[in-house]
Amino acid sequence: MILPLPNPEATMALGNQLAPLLGSGMVIWLSGELGSGKTTLARALLRGVGHLGPVKSPTYTLVEVYVVSSIYWYHFDFYRLSEPEEFDDAGLGEYFRDDAVCLVEWPEKAAGHVPPADLCLVFRFADNAADSGRVLELAACTEAGQKCLNALKNLGLDVGS
Ligand SMILES: Nc1ncnc2c1ncn2[C@@H]1O[C@H](COP(=O)(O)OP(=O)(O)O)[C@@H](O)[C@H]1O
Ligand SMILES: [Mg+2]
């Protein structure tokens, strides 16, 4: 599933629609270059489930924790991991629980250690140089992920394919 996200408002709107479809125990990988919109979508998802406070990028802390309606939301950013083994050294596996939703920026940096995703989201800069927007590819990797994407499609988003 490919979604054009022409501006940050489109990213926020997607977050609002996708957030209520995510269930506890799910793992969402957010991939794409620096500045491609991963943190913006994580922020939108947290806003979408009713988190009112700030959503900081976890670039320096590795993980930021939110509790919304008794569900733990862990927002990771592995950009600064120098090798994937650091995932285990830091005990990060303990965060991936049934009562938590895990949003993971830069999962590639913890390859082989970070648990697999239910949903893989890949952000790209729009091809057209005059277009400052993004294009998002959403792929389901589990049945739970597929249910989410089906529900998202049924909401009548402007879906390219
Ligand atoms: N769909 C979009 N179209 C254009 N600009 C966007 C879009 N989504 C986010 N942005 C902007 O691009 C930047 C993305 O930053 P951020 O979300 O921190 O990226 P990342 O976490 O991938 O490094 C922000 O300045 C944001 O306002
Ligand atoms: Mg980020």
Side-chain angles (χ1 to χ4, degrees):
M1 177 171 175
I2 308 278
L3 283 179
L5 297 173
N7 48 48
E9 290 71 29
T11 305
M12 291 308 286
L14 172 65
N16 272 318
Q17 290 190 292
L18 181 58
L21 306 176
L22 299 179
S24 58
M26 289 186 76
V27 176
I28 294 85
W29 286 5
L30 303 163
S31 300
E33 291 171 41
L34 279 179
S36 60
K38 303 180 295 297
T39 299
T40 304
L41 183 64
R43 188 172 289 127
L45 289 169
L46 283 156
R47 289 269 178 282
V49 286
H51 170 73
L52 300 174
V55 175
K56 291 184 289 178
S57 174
T59 307
Y60 293 95
T61 53
L62 282 182
V63 59
E64 293 286 339
V65 181
Y66 305 88
V67 185
V68 190
S69 309
S70 308
I71 293 180
Y72 285 84
W73 288 70
Y74 296 119
H75 179 198
F76 301 91
D77 185 339
F78 296 143
Y79 183 69
R80 293 174 64 82
L81 290 190
S82 42
E83 49 182 28
E85 287 70 25
E86 284 180 21
F87 179 91
D88 296 328
D89 297 343
L92 296 172
E94 290 174 20
Y95 288 94
F96 290 74
R97 304 187 313 264
D98 286 348
D99 64 340
V101 179
C102 288
L103 309 175
V104 184
E105 295 188 41
W106 293 99
E108 303 81 4
K109 298 265 187 177
H113 295 264
V114 63
D118 294 284
L119 279 179
C120 284
L121 310 186
V122 182
F123 291 81
R124 295 196 176 79
F125 293 93
D127 286 338
N128 182 350
D131 184 351
S132 62
R134 309 286 189 266
V135 176
L136 178 62
E137 184 180 340
L138 304 93
C141 313
T142 62
E143 204 172 315
Q146 190 58 54
K147 276 187 187 162
C148 268
L149 288 195
N150 291 343
L152 197 59
K153 280 179 192 161
N154 289 337
L155 289 175
L157 284 168
D158 182 12
V159 177
S161 65

